[in-house]
Structures are given as structure tokens and as C-alpha cells.
């Protein structure tokens, strides 16, 4: 009798174990649709689409690449510059897929992977906003799924887009971009410049006064003393390959035309001179995240203030610089992902 009970006990234990293994196997075998591109029109290209953009000077194609599938959370990434590339965001690959957030790389017109008409009449905020709207329509992004992320110049562009088309946006993220060029210039002149070694600051200002921007010494000083503190808060030999590659692909023509030569402000007749929408921030009603960095070229306190001016704002300040998606990636992505999911789940609250 005791032997029979023993064998019954062992049999029951084995049966429970098998059922548990089957449950685990079923859980493991369930496939996520996140990376399933089957039957999509961009399957053969791995998510890449060249989107035709209609302009007053003709139709040109811009490069986009979709990463993943999520019908409720789709993030369009607007790169900086003007004239930069999507490559600055390549480390999003290390964070968003695990959260199953769909995101779309996008090179704006005249950037490295897109067509380059090289026509300065197209280098305007108005045309750039129109371009984003055409991309949105082509990718079927709408108020139920569309998150717009913009960094630096991309942040300026995202704000301008929101002021015109926010009815199409589910959530807005502005990273490392103040709402006022004059305030940015003031911060650079009064706070960041004086933080440089006095002799370096003096030499840089002297060359700027002479408009000697092509002098290799100017580039050397700015790169070694300014970029390593306020663009990416790391020594140059620790800058990652994808960021260096993006800088090597920068289009200087559009950058100089709109921004100018200096990192301390907009120079000469560059077209972004005087841009300021700070008094219009209260028109933005969609949930908005403002991201700044303690070492940024943009004033982090001003970025926090911006979050109080929009109707539904939240602020995130990292320990990074202008490219804080890399030099303080954990804080950056934790805050960004939380914002996206809070909005998606209906749990968004202001700071």
C-alpha cells in the first residue's frame, strides 16, 4: 500500500511538472508581432520607404525606415542640424524594441540619405513643416498613434509642426531645444562661454569677431573645449561611431544658411536669427515632454520652464549634454519611455 501511494505521488508530480513545462513552452513559443514585417509593403526593403515630397521646386524623395510594429505607439524622429541625419538616434535600437515601441528614422530633405535639391528657397521652417506633414500622411500616422520627437533643430521643427498640426499628434517630445533663439544665444554668451578656460574663450571670440570660422584653430578649440562639455559630455576618443558618422554626413550648406558658423548663436544673416515662439507655447495642448540636460548647449532651467507653459507638460532633466540620448542614456530613455507609455495608457500627468 505504501509503495502504491509512493508511485501515485511520483506520477502526480511528474504530471504537474509536464503541464508546467507545456505552459512555459506555450509562453515561450508565442511570437510577438513587433518585428513581423510580413505582408507589408516595406518588407523587402526592411522597413525603408522613400517618400515623395511635393515642393514648389518639384517632387523629391526623403528616406525613412520603420523599426517594429505597434499600432498605438509610433514615434517619428526629427533629427537636428539643420542638415543632420537620423544616425544620431541609432542607439534607440538598444531601448525601444524591448518596449515594443515603433519608431521611424527619417532624413529630412537635403540630408545625407534623402534627395538633395540644394535649393535654399526650400530651406525654410514652413517648407520643413510641410515636409513632416507629408511624411505623416504617407506613413498613416494619426492622433491615435503618432508621437513626434524632435531634438535640437528637430525640436524647433516639432514645435512649429505642433502649432500648425497638433490635432494629428498623440504625444510631443521636445529634446534639447529652447523655444527662443535669443534666449539660447544669451545662455551661450553669459553662461556657457565663460565656463571655458579664459584664454580659450578669448581666442574663440576674437576669431568670431573676425569671422575667421574657416581657421582650423577655431574648429580645434570649439571641438576640444566646447563639444566635449556641451554637445556630448565625453572625451572625443569616447564618442561612439554612430555619432561621429552622423557628424561626417552633415550637410554644411543648409546648416550654415539657417544656423550660421558659430555654436554660440546664429551668425550673420542665417535665417533662424531671432526665431522665438515662447509666447505661443500655451497653444500646445497635447501631452508634451520637454527634455534638457545639465550640460546641454540649451538652458535646462528654460527647458523646465517650457514644460509649464504648454497646457499638458512634463519635464525631464538628465545629467547629459546636447546628445543626452547617449551620455545619459538610462535617464533619457527611462523618462522618454515612461512618457510614451503613460500617454498610451491614459495615465499621463504633469510634473
Amino acid at each position: 500500500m505504501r509503495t502504491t501511494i509512493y508511485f501515485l505521488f511520483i506520477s502526480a508530480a511528474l504530471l504537474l511538472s509536464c503541464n508546467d513545462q507545456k505552459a512555459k513552452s506555450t509562453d515561450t513559443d508565442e511570437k510577438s508581432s513587433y518585428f513581423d514585417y510580413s505582408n507589408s509593403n516595406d518588407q523587402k526593403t526592411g522597413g525603408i520607404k522613400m517618400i515623395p515630397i511635393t515642393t514648389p521646386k518639384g517632387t523629391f524623395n526623403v528616406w525613412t525606415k520603420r523599426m517594429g510594429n505597434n499600432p498605438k505607439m509610433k514615434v517619428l524622429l526629427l533629427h537636428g542640424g539643420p542638415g543632420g541625419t537620423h544616425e544620431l538616434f541609432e542607439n534607440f535600437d538598444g531601448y525601444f524594441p524591448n518596449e515594443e515601441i515603433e519608431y521611424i528614422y527619417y532624413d529630412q530633405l537635403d540630408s545625407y540619405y534623402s534627395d538633395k535639391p540644394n535649393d535654399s528657397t526650400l530651406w525654410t521652417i514652413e517648407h520643413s513643416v510641410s515636409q513632416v506633414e507629408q511624411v505623416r500622411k504617407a506613413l498613416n500616422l494619426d492622433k491615435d498613434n503618432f508621437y513626434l520627437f524632435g531634438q535640437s533643430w528637430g525640436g524647433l521643427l516639432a514645435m512649429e509642426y505642433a502649432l500648425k498640426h497638433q490635432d494629428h499628434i498623440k504625444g510631443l517630445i521636445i529634446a534639447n531645444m529652447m523655444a527662443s533663439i535669443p534666449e539660447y544665444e544669451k545662455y551661450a554668451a553669459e553662461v556657457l562661454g565663460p565656463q571655458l578656460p579664459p584664454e580659450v574663450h578669448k581666442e574663440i571670440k576674437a576669431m568670431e569677431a573676425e569671422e575667421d570660422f574657416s581657421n582650423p584653430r577655431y574648429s580645434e578649440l570649439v571641438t576640444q573645449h566646447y563639444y566635449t562639455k556641451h554637445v556630448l559630455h565625453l572625451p572625443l576618443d569616447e564618442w561612439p561611431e554612430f555619432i561621429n558618422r552622423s557628424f561626417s554626413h552633415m550637410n554644411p550648406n543648409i546648416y550654415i544658411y539657417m544656423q550660421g558658423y558659430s555654436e554660440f548663436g546664429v551668425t550673420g544673416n542665417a535665417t533662424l536669427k531671432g526665431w522665438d515662439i515662447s509666447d505661443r507655447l500655451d497653444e500646445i495642448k497635447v501631452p508634451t515632454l520637454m527634455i534638457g540636460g545639465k550640460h546641454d548647449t540649451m538652458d535646462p532651467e528654460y527647458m523646465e520652464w517650457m514644460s509649464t507653459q504648454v497646457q499638458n507638460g512634463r519635464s525631464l532633466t538628465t545629467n547629459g549634454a546636447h546628445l543626452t540620448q547617449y551620455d545619459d542614456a538610462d535617464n533619457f530613455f527611462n523618462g522618454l519611455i515612461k512618457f510614451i507609455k503613460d500617454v498610451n495608457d491614459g495615465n499621463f500627468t504633469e510634473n
Side-chain angles (χ1 to χ4, degrees), residues 131-208:
Q131 187 183 148
V132 174
E133 175 63 357
Q134 292 182 66
V135 168
R136 180 195 69 79
K137 290 179 179 178
L139 295 176
N140 298 314
L141 307 175
D142 58 41
K143 62 182 177 60
D144 296 321
N145 57 35
F146 178 30
Y147 293 81
L148 184 61
F149 174 100
Q151 184 176 52
S152 193
W153 147 255
L156 185 159
L157 177 55
M159 285 184 273
E160 289 279 4
Y161 178 89
L163 288 172
K164 188 170 184 179
H165 297 293
Q166 65 180 312
D167 289 346
H168 300 307
I169 300 175
K170 186 174 184 177
L172 177 67
I173 303 104
I174 307 300
N176 314 98
M177 185 64 217
M178 296 162 67
S180 167
I181 291 292
E183 288 297 320
Y184 149 59
E185 293 174 317
K186 180 181 178 182
Y187 182 67
E190 297 180 0
V191 179
L192 299 185
Q195 290 178 7
L196 294 168
E199 66 280 4
V200 170
H201 188 216
K202 181 179 179 181
E203 192 172 356
I204 287 174
K205 296 306 289 182
M207 284 186 280
E208 289 197 340

Coordinates of all heavy atoms in Angstrom, one line a residue, residues 131-208:
Q131 N 6.9 69.3 -45.1 CA 7.5 68.0 -45.4 C 7.2 67.0 -44.3 O 6.8 65.8 -44.7 CB 9.1 68.3 -45.4 CG 9.9 67.1 -45.8 CD 11.4 67.4 -45.7 OE1 12.2 66.5 -45.4 NE2 11.8 68.7 -45.9
V132 N 7.2 67.4 -43.0 CA 6.8 66.5 -42.0 C 5.4 66.0 -42.1 O 5.0 64.8 -42.0 CB 7.0 67.1 -40.6 CG1 6.5 66.2 -39.5 CG2 8.5 67.4 -40.3
E133 N 4.5 66.9 -42.5 CA 3.1 66.6 -42.7 C 2.9 65.6 -43.8 O 2.1 64.7 -43.7 CB 2.3 67.9 -42.9 CG 0.8 67.6 -43.3 CD 0.0 67.0 -42.2 OE1 0.5 66.7 -41.1 OE2 -1.2 66.8 -42.4
Q134 N 3.7 65.7 -44.9 CA 3.6 64.8 -46.0 C 4.1 63.4 -45.6 O 3.5 62.4 -46.0 CB 4.3 65.3 -47.2 CG 3.7 66.5 -47.8 CD 4.4 67.0 -49.1 OE1 4.4 66.4 -50.1 NE2 5.0 68.2 -49.0
V135 N 5.1 63.4 -44.8 CA 5.7 62.1 -44.3 C 4.6 61.5 -43.4 O 4.4 60.3 -43.4 CB 7.0 62.4 -43.5 CG1 7.4 61.1 -42.7 CG2 8.1 62.7 -44.5
R136 N 4.0 62.3 -42.5 CA 3.0 61.7 -41.6 C 1.9 61.0 -42.4 O 1.5 59.9 -42.0 CB 2.4 62.8 -40.7 CG 1.3 62.3 -39.8 CD 0.5 63.5 -39.2 NE -0.4 64.1 -40.2 CZ -1.6 63.6 -40.6 NH1 -2.0 62.4 -40.1 NH2 -2.3 64.2 -41.5
K137 N 1.4 61.7 -43.4 CA 0.3 61.1 -44.2 C 0.7 59.8 -44.9 O 0.0 58.8 -44.9 CB -0.2 62.1 -45.2 CG -0.9 63.3 -44.6 CD -1.4 64.3 -45.7 CE -2.1 65.5 -45.1 NZ -2.5 66.4 -46.2
A138 N 1.9 59.8 -45.4 CA 2.4 58.7 -46.2 C 2.6 57.5 -45.2 O 2.5 56.3 -45.7 CB 3.8 59.0 -46.8
L139 N 2.9 57.7 -44.0 CA 3.1 56.6 -43.0 C 1.9 56.3 -42.2 O 2.0 55.5 -41.3 CB 4.3 57.0 -42.1 CG 5.7 57.1 -42.8 CD1 6.7 57.6 -41.8 CD2 6.1 55.8 -43.4
N140 N 0.8 56.9 -42.5 CA -0.5 56.7 -41.8 C -0.4 56.9 -40.3 O -0.9 56.1 -39.5 CB -1.0 55.2 -42.1 CG -1.3 55.0 -43.6 OD1 -1.9 55.8 -44.2 ND2 -0.8 53.9 -44.1
L141 N 0.2 58.0 -39.9 CA 0.3 58.4 -38.5 C -0.8 59.3 -38.2 O -1.2 60.2 -39.0 CB 1.6 59.0 -38.3 CG 2.9 58.3 -38.7 CD1 4.2 59.1 -38.5 CD2 3.0 57.0 -38.0
D142 N -1.5 59.1 -37.0 CA -2.6 60.0 -36.7 C -2.7 60.1 -35.2 O -1.8 59.6 -34.4 CB -3.9 59.4 -37.2 CG -4.2 58.0 -36.7 OD1 -4.0 57.7 -35.5 OD2 -4.7 57.1 -37.5
K143 N -3.7 60.8 -34.7 CA -3.8 61.2 -33.3 C -4.0 60.0 -32.4 O -3.8 60.2 -31.2 CB -5.0 62.2 -33.1 CG -6.4 61.5 -33.5 CD -7.5 62.5 -33.3 CE -8.8 62.0 -33.8 NZ -9.2 60.7 -33.0
D144 N -4.2 58.9 -32.9 CA -4.4 57.7 -32.1 C -3.0 56.9 -31.9 O -3.0 56.0 -31.1 CB -5.4 56.7 -32.7 CG -6.8 57.3 -32.8 OD1 -7.2 58.0 -31.8 OD2 -7.5 57.1 -33.8
N145 N -2.0 57.3 -32.6 CA -0.7 56.6 -32.5 C 0.5 57.4 -32.7 O 1.6 57.0 -32.4 CB -0.7 55.4 -33.5 CG -0.9 55.9 -35.0 OD1 -0.4 57.0 -35.4 ND2 -1.5 55.1 -35.8
F146 N 0.4 58.7 -33.1 CA 1.5 59.5 -33.6 C 2.2 60.3 -32.5 O 1.6 61.2 -31.9 CB 1.0 60.4 -34.7 CG 2.1 61.3 -35.3 CD1 3.4 61.0 -35.3 CD2 1.7 62.6 -35.8 CE1 4.4 61.9 -35.9 CE2 2.6 63.4 -36.3 CZ 4.0 63.1 -36.4
Y147 N 3.4 59.9 -32.1 CA 4.3 60.6 -31.2 C 5.4 61.3 -32.1 O 6.0 60.7 -32.9 CB 4.9 59.7 -30.2 CG 4.0 59.1 -29.2 CD1 3.3 57.9 -29.6 CD2 3.8 59.6 -27.9 CE1 2.4 57.3 -28.7 CE2 3.0 59.0 -27.0 CZ 2.3 57.9 -27.4 OH 1.4 57.3 -26.5
L148 N 5.5 62.6 -31.9 CA 6.5 63.4 -32.6 C 7.7 63.7 -31.7 O 7.5 64.4 -30.7 CB 5.9 64.6 -33.2 CG 6.8 65.5 -34.1 CD1 7.3 64.6 -35.3 CD2 6.1 66.7 -34.6
F149 N 8.9 63.2 -32.1 CA 10.1 63.5 -31.3 C 11.0 64.4 -32.1 O 11.3 64.1 -33.2 CB 10.8 62.2 -30.9 CG 12.1 62.4 -30.2 CD1 12.2 62.2 -28.9 CD2 13.3 62.7 -30.9 CE1 13.4 62.4 -28.2 CE2 14.5 62.8 -30.3 CZ 14.6 62.7 -28.9
G150 N 11.4 65.5 -31.5 CA 12.4 66.4 -32.2 C 13.5 66.8 -31.3 O 13.3 67.2 -30.1
Q151 N 14.7 66.7 -31.8 CA 15.9 67.1 -31.0 C 16.6 68.2 -31.7 O 16.9 68.2 -32.9 CB 16.8 65.9 -30.8 CG 18.0 66.2 -29.9 CD 18.9 65.0 -29.6 OE1 19.3 64.3 -30.5 NE2 19.2 64.8 -28.3
S152 N 17.0 69.2 -30.9 CA 17.8 70.4 -31.4 C 17.0 71.1 -32.5 O 15.8 71.5 -32.3 CB 19.2 69.9 -31.9 OG 20.0 71.0 -32.1
W153 N 17.5 71.3 -33.7 CA 16.7 71.8 -34.8 C 15.4 71.0 -35.0 O 14.4 71.6 -35.2 CB 17.5 71.8 -36.1 CG 16.7 71.6 -37.3 CD1 16.6 70.5 -38.1 CD2 15.8 72.6 -38.0 NE1 15.8 70.7 -39.2 CE2 15.2 71.9 -39.1 CE3 15.4 73.9 -37.7 CZ2 14.3 72.6 -39.9 CZ3 14.5 74.5 -38.5 CH2 14.0 73.9 -39.6
G154 N 15.5 69.7 -34.8 CA 14.3 68.9 -34.9 C 13.3 69.3 -33.8 O 12.1 69.1 -34.1
G155 N 13.7 69.7 -32.7 CA 12.8 70.2 -31.6 C 12.1 71.5 -32.0 O 10.9 71.6 -31.8
L156 N 12.9 72.4 -32.6 CA 12.3 73.6 -33.2 C 11.2 73.2 -34.2 O 10.1 73.8 -34.2 CB 13.4 74.4 -33.8 CG 13.1 75.8 -34.3 CD1 14.3 76.7 -34.4 CD2 12.4 75.8 -35.7
L157 N 11.6 72.3 -35.1 CA 10.6 71.9 -36.2 C 9.4 71.2 -35.6 O 8.3 71.5 -36.0 CB 11.4 71.0 -37.1 CG 10.6 70.3 -38.3 CD1 9.9 71.4 -39.1 CD2 11.5 69.5 -39.1
A158 N 9.6 70.4 -34.5 CA 8.5 69.7 -33.9 C 7.5 70.7 -33.2 O 6.3 70.6 -33.3 CB 9.0 68.7 -32.9
M159 N 8.1 71.8 -32.6 CA 7.2 72.8 -32.0 C 6.4 73.5 -33.1 O 5.2 73.8 -32.9 CB 8.0 73.8 -31.2 CG 8.5 73.2 -29.9 SD 9.4 74.4 -28.8 CE 11.1 74.2 -29.4
E160 N 7.1 73.9 -34.2 CA 6.4 74.6 -35.3 C 5.3 73.7 -35.9 O 4.2 74.1 -36.2 CB 7.4 75.0 -36.3 CG 8.3 76.2 -35.9 CD 7.6 77.5 -36.0 OE1 6.4 77.6 -36.4 OE2 8.3 78.5 -35.8
Y161 N 5.6 72.4 -36.0 CA 4.6 71.5 -36.6 C 3.4 71.4 -35.6 O 2.3 71.4 -36.1 CB 5.2 70.1 -36.8 CG 4.2 69.1 -37.3 CD1 4.0 68.9 -38.6 CD2 3.5 68.3 -36.4 CE1 3.1 68.0 -39.1 CE2 2.5 67.4 -36.9 CZ 2.3 67.3 -38.2 OH 1.4 66.4 -38.7
A162 N 3.7 71.3 -34.3 CA 2.6 71.2 -33.4 C 1.7 72.4 -33.4 O 0.5 72.3 -33.2 CB 3.2 70.9 -32.0
L163 N 2.3 73.6 -33.6 CA 1.5 74.8 -33.6 C 0.5 74.8 -34.8 O -0.5 75.5 -34.7 CB 2.4 76.0 -33.6 CG 3.1 76.3 -32.3 CD1 4.1 77.4 -32.5 CD2 2.1 76.7 -31.2
K164 N 0.9 74.0 -35.8 CA 0.0 74.0 -37.0 C -0.8 72.8 -37.1 O -2.0 72.8 -37.6 CB 0.9 74.2 -38.3 CG 0.1 74.4 -39.5 CD 1.0 74.7 -40.7 CE 0.1 75.0 -42.0 NZ 0.9 75.4 -43.1
H165 N -0.3 71.6 -36.6 CA -1.0 70.4 -36.9 C -1.2 69.5 -35.7 O -1.2 68.3 -35.8 CB -0.2 69.6 -37.9 CG -0.1 70.2 -39.3 ND1 -1.1 70.4 -40.1 CD2 1.0 70.7 -39.9 CE1 -0.7 70.9 -41.3 NE2 0.6 71.2 -41.2
Q166 N -1.3 70.1 -34.5 CA -1.3 69.2 -33.3 C -2.5 68.3 -33.2 O -2.5 67.3 -32.4 CB -1.2 70.1 -32.0 CG -2.3 71.0 -31.7 CD -2.1 71.8 -30.4 OE1 -1.7 71.2 -29.4 NE2 -2.2 73.1 -30.5
D167 N -3.5 68.6 -34.0 CA -4.7 67.7 -34.0 C -4.4 66.3 -34.4 O -5.1 65.3 -34.2 CB -5.8 68.3 -34.8 CG -6.5 69.5 -34.2 OD1 -6.2 69.7 -33.0 OD2 -7.2 70.2 -34.9
H168 N -3.2 66.1 -35.1 CA -2.8 64.8 -35.6 C -1.9 64.1 -34.6 O -1.4 63.0 -34.9 CB -2.1 65.0 -36.9 CG -2.9 65.6 -38.0 ND1 -4.2 65.1 -38.4 CD2 -2.7 66.6 -38.8 CE1 -4.6 65.8 -39.4 NE2 -3.8 66.8 -39.7
I169 N -1.5 64.8 -33.5 CA -0.5 64.2 -32.6 C -1.1 63.6 -31.4 O -2.0 64.2 -30.8 CB 0.5 65.4 -32.2 CG1 1.2 66.0 -33.4 CG2 1.6 64.9 -31.2 CD1 2.1 67.2 -33.1
K170 N -0.5 62.5 -31.0 CA -0.9 61.9 -29.7 C 0.0 62.3 -28.6 O -0.5 62.5 -27.4 CB -0.8 60.3 -29.8 CG -1.3 59.6 -28.6 CD -1.3 58.1 -28.9 CE -1.9 57.2 -27.8 NZ -2.0 55.8 -28.2
G171 N 1.3 62.5 -28.8 CA 2.2 63.0 -27.8 C 3.4 63.7 -28.5 O 3.8 63.3 -29.6
L172 N 3.9 64.7 -27.8 CA 5.0 65.5 -28.4 C 6.2 65.5 -27.4 O 6.0 65.6 -26.2 CB 4.5 67.0 -28.5 CG 5.5 68.0 -29.0 CD1 5.9 67.8 -30.5 CD2 4.9 69.4 -28.9
I173 N 7.4 65.3 -28.0 CA 8.6 65.3 -27.2 C 9.6 66.3 -27.8 O 9.9 66.2 -29.0 CB 9.3 63.9 -27.2 CG1 8.3 62.9 -26.6 CG2 10.5 64.0 -26.3 CD1 7.7 62.0 -27.7
I174 N 10.0 67.3 -27.0 CA 11.0 68.3 -27.5 C 12.3 68.1 -26.7 O 12.3 68.2 -25.4 CB 10.5 69.7 -27.2 CG1 9.1 69.9 -27.9 CG2 11.5 70.7 -27.8 CD1 9.0 69.7 -29.3
A175 N 13.3 67.7 -27.3 CA 14.6 67.4 -26.7 C 15.7 68.4 -27.0 O 15.9 68.7 -28.2 CB 15.1 66.0 -27.0
N176 N 16.3 69.1 -26.0 CA 17.5 69.9 -26.2 C 17.2 71.0 -27.2 O 18.1 71.3 -28.0 CB 18.6 69.0 -26.7 CG 18.8 67.7 -25.9 OD1 18.3 66.7 -26.3 ND2 19.4 67.8 -24.7
M177 N 16.1 71.7 -27.0 CA 15.8 72.9 -27.9 C 15.0 73.9 -27.2 O 13.8 73.5 -26.8 CB 15.2 72.5 -29.2 CG 15.0 73.6 -30.2 SD 16.6 74.3 -30.7 CE 16.2 76.1 -30.8
M178 N 15.5 75.1 -27.0 CA 14.7 76.1 -26.4 C 13.7 76.7 -27.4 O 13.9 76.6 -28.6 CB 15.7 77.2 -25.8 CG 16.5 76.7 -24.7 SD 18.0 77.7 -24.4 CE 17.3 79.2 -23.7
A179 N 12.7 77.4 -26.9 CA 11.7 78.0 -27.7 C 12.0 79.4 -28.2 O 11.2 80.1 -28.8 CB 10.3 78.1 -27.0
S180 N 13.3 79.8 -28.0 CA 13.7 81.2 -28.3 C 15.2 81.1 -28.7 O 16.0 80.8 -27.8 CB 13.5 82.1 -27.2 OG 14.1 83.4 -27.4
I181 N 15.5 81.5 -29.9 CA 16.9 81.7 -30.3 C 17.6 82.8 -29.5 O 18.8 82.6 -29.0 CB 17.0 81.9 -31.8 CG1 16.6 80.7 -32.6 CG2 18.5 82.3 -32.2 CD1 17.5 79.5 -32.5
P182 N 17.0 83.9 -29.3 CA 17.7 84.9 -28.5 C 18.0 84.5 -27.1 O 19.1 84.8 -26.5 CB 16.6 86.1 -28.5 CG 15.9 86.0 -29.8 CD 15.8 84.5 -30.0
E183 N 17.1 83.7 -26.5 CA 17.4 83.1 -25.1 C 18.5 82.1 -25.2 O 19.4 82.0 -24.3 CB 16.1 82.5 -24.5 CG 15.1 83.5 -24.1 CD 15.6 84.5 -23.0 OE1 16.3 84.0 -22.1 OE2 15.3 85.7 -23.1
Y184 N 18.6 81.3 -26.2 CA 19.7 80.4 -26.4 C 21.0 81.1 -26.6 O 22.0 80.7 -26.0 CB 19.4 79.5 -27.7 CG 20.6 79.0 -28.4 CD1 21.6 78.2 -27.8 CD2 20.7 79.3 -29.8 CE1 22.6 77.8 -28.6 CE2 21.8 78.8 -30.5 CZ 22.7 78.1 -29.9 OH 23.8 77.6 -30.7
E185 N 21.0 82.2 -27.4 CA 22.2 83.0 -27.6 C 22.7 83.6 -26.2 O 23.9 83.7 -25.9 CB 22.0 84.0 -28.6 CG 21.8 83.4 -30.0 CD 21.4 84.5 -31.1 OE1 20.6 85.3 -30.8 OE2 22.0 84.4 -32.2
K186 N 21.7 84.1 -25.5 CA 22.0 84.7 -24.2 C 22.7 83.7 -23.2 O 23.6 84.0 -22.6 CB 20.7 85.3 -23.6 CG 20.9 86.0 -22.3 CD 19.6 86.5 -21.7 CE 19.8 87.2 -20.4 NZ 18.5 87.7 -19.8
Y187 N 22.1 82.5 -23.2 CA 22.6 81.5 -22.3 C 24.1 81.1 -22.7 O 25.0 80.9 -21.9 CB 21.7 80.2 -22.4 CG 22.1 79.1 -21.5 CD1 22.1 79.2 -20.1 CD2 22.6 77.9 -22.0 CE1 22.4 78.2 -19.2 CE2 22.9 76.9 -21.2 CZ 22.9 77.0 -19.8 OH 23.2 76.0 -19.0
A188 N 24.3 81.0 -24.0 CA 25.6 80.6 -24.5 C 26.6 81.7 -24.2 O 27.8 81.4 -23.8 CB 25.6 80.4 -26.1
A189 N 26.2 83.0 -24.4 CA 27.1 84.1 -24.1 C 27.4 84.3 -22.6 O 28.6 84.6 -22.2 CB 26.6 85.3 -24.8
E190 N 26.4 84.2 -21.8 CA 26.5 84.6 -20.4 C 26.9 83.4 -19.5 O 27.4 83.7 -18.4 CB 25.2 85.2 -19.9 CG 24.9 86.5 -20.7 CD 23.6 87.2 -20.2 OE1 22.9 86.6 -19.2 OE2 23.2 88.2 -20.7
V191 N 26.6 82.2 -19.9 CA 26.8 81.1 -19.0 C 27.8 80.1 -19.6 O 28.8 79.8 -18.9 CB 25.5 80.3 -18.7 CG1 25.7 79.1 -17.8 CG2 24.5 81.2 -18.1
L192 N 27.6 79.6 -20.8 CA 28.5 78.6 -21.3 C 29.9 79.1 -21.7 O 30.9 78.5 -21.4 CB 27.8 77.9 -22.5 CG 26.5 77.2 -22.2 CD1 26.0 76.4 -23.4 CD2 26.6 76.2 -21.0
G193 N 29.9 80.2 -22.4 CA 31.2 80.8 -22.9 C 32.1 81.0 -21.7 O 33.3 80.6 -21.7
P194 N 31.7 81.7 -20.7 CA 32.6 82.0 -19.5 C 33.0 80.7 -18.8 O 34.0 80.8 -18.0 CB 31.7 82.9 -18.6 CG 30.8 83.6 -19.5 CD 30.4 82.5 -20.6
Q195 N 32.4 79.6 -19.0 CA 32.8 78.3 -18.4 C 34.1 77.8 -19.1 O 34.8 76.9 -18.5 CB 31.7 77.3 -18.4 CG 30.5 77.6 -17.5 CD 29.4 76.5 -17.6 OE1 29.6 75.5 -18.3 NE2 28.3 76.8 -16.9
L196 N 34.4 78.2 -20.3 CA 35.6 77.8 -21.0 C 36.8 78.4 -20.3 O 36.7 79.4 -19.6 CB 35.5 78.3 -22.4 CG 34.5 77.7 -23.3 CD1 34.4 78.5 -24.6 CD2 34.8 76.2 -23.6
P197 N 38.0 77.8 -20.4 CA 39.2 78.4 -19.9 C 39.3 79.8 -20.5 O 39.0 80.0 -21.7 CB 40.3 77.5 -20.5 CG 39.6 76.2 -20.6 CD 38.2 76.5 -21.0
P198 N 39.6 80.8 -19.7 CA 39.6 82.2 -20.2 C 40.4 82.5 -21.4 O 39.9 83.2 -22.3 CB 40.2 83.0 -19.0 CG 39.9 82.1 -17.8 CD 40.0 80.7 -18.3
E199 N 41.5 81.9 -21.6 CA 42.3 82.1 -22.8 C 41.7 81.5 -24.0 O 41.8 82.0 -25.1 CB 43.8 81.6 -22.6 CG 43.9 80.0 -22.4 CD 43.6 79.5 -21.0 OE1 43.1 80.3 -20.2 OE2 43.8 78.3 -20.8
V200 N 41.0 80.3 -23.8 CA 40.3 79.7 -24.9 C 39.1 80.5 -25.4 O 38.9 80.7 -26.5 CB 39.9 78.3 -24.5 CG1 38.9 77.7 -25.6 CG2 41.1 77.4 -24.3
H201 N 38.3 81.0 -24.4 CA 37.2 81.8 -24.7 C 37.6 83.1 -25.4 O 36.9 83.5 -26.4 CB 36.4 82.1 -23.4 CG 35.1 82.8 -23.6 ND1 34.6 83.8 -22.7 CD2 34.2 82.7 -24.5 CE1 33.5 84.2 -23.2 NE2 33.2 83.5 -24.2
K202 N 38.6 83.7 -25.0 CA 39.1 84.9 -25.6 C 39.5 84.7 -27.0 O 39.2 85.5 -27.9 CB 40.3 85.5 -24.8 CG 40.9 86.8 -25.3 CD 42.0 87.3 -24.5 CE 42.6 88.6 -25.0 NZ 43.7 89.1 -24.2
E203 N 40.2 83.6 -27.3 CA 40.7 83.3 -28.6 C 39.5 83.0 -29.6 O 39.5 83.4 -30.7 CB 41.7 82.1 -28.6 CG 42.4 81.9 -29.9 CD 43.5 80.8 -29.8 OE1 43.8 80.3 -28.7 OE2 44.1 80.5 -30.9
I204 N 38.5 82.2 -29.1 CA 37.4 81.9 -29.9 C 36.6 83.2 -30.2 O 36.2 83.4 -31.4 CB 36.4 80.9 -29.1 CG1 37.1 79.5 -29.1 CG2 35.0 80.9 -29.8 CD1 36.3 78.5 -28.2
K205 N 36.4 84.0 -29.2 CA 35.6 85.3 -29.5 C 36.4 86.2 -30.5 O 35.7 86.8 -31.3 CB 35.4 86.0 -28.2 CG 34.5 85.2 -27.2 CD 33.2 84.8 -27.8 CE 32.2 86.0 -28.0 NZ 30.9 85.5 -28.6
A206 N 37.7 86.2 -30.4 CA 38.5 87.0 -31.3 C 38.3 86.5 -32.8 O 38.1 87.3 -33.7 CB 39.9 87.0 -30.9
M207 N 38.3 85.2 -33.0 CA 38.1 84.7 -34.3 C 36.7 84.9 -34.8 O 36.5 85.1 -36.0 CB 38.5 83.2 -34.3 CG 40.0 82.9 -34.3 SD 40.5 81.2 -34.5 CE 40.3 80.6 -32.8
E208 N 35.7 84.8 -33.9 CA 34.4 85.0 -34.3 C 34.2 86.5 -34.7 O 33.5 86.8 -35.7 CB 33.4 84.7 -33.2 CG 33.3 83.1 -33.0 CD 32.1 82.8 -32.2 OE1 31.5 83.6 -31.5 OE2 31.7 81.6 -32.2

